[in-house]
Amino acid sequence: MRKASDGEGGGGDTGMIPQETAPVPALPKKTKQPKECFLIQPKETKEDATKTRKRRKKKITDVLAKSEPKPGTPEDLQKMMKDYYSSSRSVIELEELNLPDSCFLKANDLTHSLSSYLKEICPKWVKLRKNHNEKKSVLMLIICSSALRALELIRSMTAFRGDSKVMKLFAKHIKVQEQVKLLEKRVVHLGVGTPGRIKELIKQGGLNLNPLKFLVFDWNWRDQKLRRMMDIPEIRKEAFELLEMGVLSLCKSQSLKLGLF
C-alpha cells in the first residue's frame, strides 16, 4: 500500500510538471528589445549627417587655402569683363571692351612688394611727380576692395612715394564733399581707394581722369575669406563701371596704362 501511495504521489508529481513549465510569456519580452534599438538608429544618422556637412564645409576652405596662388594676368581681366557683360551686350559691344596688350603694364609675379612693383612699372616717377601741378587729379590710382586694405597699401608704399602727396579715396569716415574740397585745394600725386568712392568723385566733378597715367588694381591680395577684390560681386561691378567712365578710352589712346598688383 505504501508503494502504491508512493506511485500515486510520484505520478501526481509528474502530472504537475507541464503546468509549471508554461511560463512562455518570456518570448514577447525578447521581441520588445529590437524596437528600442530601432529608435536609437535615426538619431545616429542625423548626427552623422550634420558631421559630414561640417566636414564638407571645412574641406572647401582647406582646398582654397592649400591651392597655389596664381598671379593675375591681363587675360584674366579681359575674360572677366566679357563674362560679366555677356548676357547684357551684343557681340559688337563686347568687342569694344577689348584692350590691346600695349595698354597693360607688367603684372606682379607675386614676388614684389607694392613699392618694388611700382618702381618697376614707373621708374621715372620722380620726374612725373615734379611736373604734375594740376588740381582735382592724380597721376596714379591704386584700386582695392576696402578702406582697411587701402590703409595697408599706403603704409607699404613709403619707399616708392617719397615726398609724393597721397590721398585716401574711400568712403569710411570721409564724406565725398570733403574729398572734393581737398582735391580742389591741393595737388595730389597718388590716390588709393575703392572703386565705388572713386566713381562717385568722378560723377561729382571732383576728380578728372585725363592727367591719370597709371591705374593699378590690387588684384592678387585675398581677404580672410580668401576672396580677391574681383571675387566680391559689388566690388567687381563698381570696378567695371569705373573702367567705362573714361578709363578704357584713355587706355586705347595710349595715355593711360593698367597694372595688376
Side-chain angles (χ1 to χ4, degrees):
M1 294 296 288
R2 289 180 183 174
K3 288 181 181 178
S5 63
D6 290 339
E8 289 173 1
D13 291 340
T14 54
M16 293 295 291
I17 290 170
Q19 293 178 357
E20 291 178 357
T21 56
V24 181
L27 291 172
K29 289 182 180 179
K30 292 181 180 179
T31 56
K32 290 181 181 178
Q33 291 178 357
K35 291 183 180 179
E36 294 178 358
C37 296
F38 287 123
L39 291 173
I40 295 170
Q41 286 179 355
K43 291 182 181 178
E44 291 177 357
T45 53
K46 286 180 181 178
E47 289 174 0
D48 292 339
T50 53
K51 286 180 182 178
T52 51
R53 285 174 188 171
K54 289 180 181 177
R55 285 174 188 169
R56 285 173 188 170
K57 288 180 182 178
K58 288 180 182 178
K59 285 180 181 178
I60 293 170
T61 54
D62 289 342
V63 169
L64 288 171
K66 292 178 181 178
S67 61
E68 295 182 2
K70 294 180 181 179
T73 62
E75 291 77 14
D76 294 336
L77 176 59
Q78 301 262 45
K79 184 180 182 302
M80 195 174 285
M81 284 189 69
K82 285 185 178 180
D83 292 343
Y84 181 80
Y85 289 114
S86 61
S87 61
S88 59
R89 303 206 175 176
S90 64
V91 177
I92 296 173
E93 288 174 331
L94 291 174
E95 288 179 357
E96 291 176 354
L97 297 174
N98 289 332
L99 292 173
D101 294 338
S102 58
C103 295
F104 291 93
L105 298 160
K106 184 179 179 181
N108 179 23
D109 58 0
L110 304 182
T111 62
H112 283 284
S113 66
L114 181 58
S115 287
S116 66
Y117 176 70
L118 296 179
K119 285 179 180 179
E120 181 174 305
I121 64 173
C122 185
K124 297 180 180 180
W125 174 252
V126 177
K127 290 182 180 179
L128 283 172
R129 176 175 59 81
K130 287 180 179 179
N131 294 329
H132 178 66
N133 52 17
E134 292 185 42
K135 296 178 181 178
K136 298 172 65 176
S137 65
V138 294
L139 285 172
M140 181 182 291
L141 273 177
I142 301 175
I143 299 173
C144 58
S145 59
S146 67
L148 290 175
R149 178 58 180 165
L151 294 174
E152 289 178 7
L153 291 171
I154 291 171
R155 287 193 294 267
S156 66
M157 63 191 293
T158 51
F160 169 78
R161 71 183 187 185
D163 296 332
S164 304
K165 293 181 181 178
V166 183
M167 188 167 176
K168 306 167 188 174
L169 302 177
F170 50 76
K172 193 172 185 179
H173 306 308
I174 307 174
K175 295 180 180 180
V176 184
Q177 295 175 352
E178 293 176 3
Q179 290 172 332
V180 171
K181 289 179 181 178
L182 288 172
L183 287 166
E184 288 175 349
K185 289 180 181 178
R186 64 177 70 169
V187 175
V188 181
H189 306 103
L190 280 161
V192 185
T194 55
R197 176 48 60 95
I198 294 169
K199 197 176 65 169
E200 188 62 29
L201 287 168
I202 296 169
K203 284 182 180 179
Q204 296 198 17
L207 183 62
N208 178 20
L209 292 180
N210 289 328
L212 185 65
K213 300 299 179 185
F214 303 94
L215 189 147
V216 178
F217 285 107
D218 183 32
W219 188 276
N220 297 297
W221 181 80
R222 294 179 183 269
D223 61 12
Q224 292 180 350
K225 296 180 180 179
L226 302 176
R227 300 175 301 178
R228 299 171 302 176
M229 64 172 290
M230 288 299 192
D231 294 330
I232 304 170
E234 292 179 2
I235 300 297
R236 182 171 62 246
K237 176 179 177 293
E238 290 173 343
F240 289 153
E241 289 176 353
L242 174 61
L243 289 177
E244 291 197 282
M245 294 179 72
V247 173
L248 294 178
S249 59
L250 289 171
C251 289
K252 290 177 181 179
S253 66
Q254 300 297 316
S255 65
L256 173 62
K257 302 290 184 181
L258 293 177
L260 303 179
F261 172 65

